[in-house]
Amino acid sequence: MLIANHTGKEHEEIGWAIGDAIYEYLVKQGKTVEDIEKNPSEFAKLVVKNCRNER
């Protein structure tokens, strides 16, 4: 959402990257929303990693 806000437009790949990061972080790693709140940079790094990966 920050990237979309910064660029002024939405992009499908950003949505997929965030969705994939949520799945990996919460489901695969068993973390919680509270973990994101405590360490947002850890989650942000995962989103960036997913943005860099091609589908």
Side-chain angles (χ1 to χ4, degrees):
M1 290 188 322
L2 292 174
I3 296 168
N5 185 47
H6 178 71
T7 62
K9 55 188 164 186
E10 298 175 13
H11 194 280
E12 180 180 320
E13 292 300 317
I14 295 169
W16 281 109
I18 293 171
D20 290 348
I22 289 171
Y23 179 77
E24 185 174 333
Y25 198 80
L26 299 178
V27 177
K28 288 186 174 181
Q29 295 183 19
K31 301 211 178 180
T32 65
V33 173
E34 289 80 20
D35 292 321
I36 296 172
E37 291 171 347
K38 290 177 188 171
N39 194 0
S41 63
E42 180 180 67
F43 181 75
K45 287 178 186 177
L46 189 55
V47 172
V48 170
K49 181 187 101 180
N50 285 327
C51 281
R52 291 182 177 160
N53 290 339
E54 293 183 20
R55 296 196 140 276

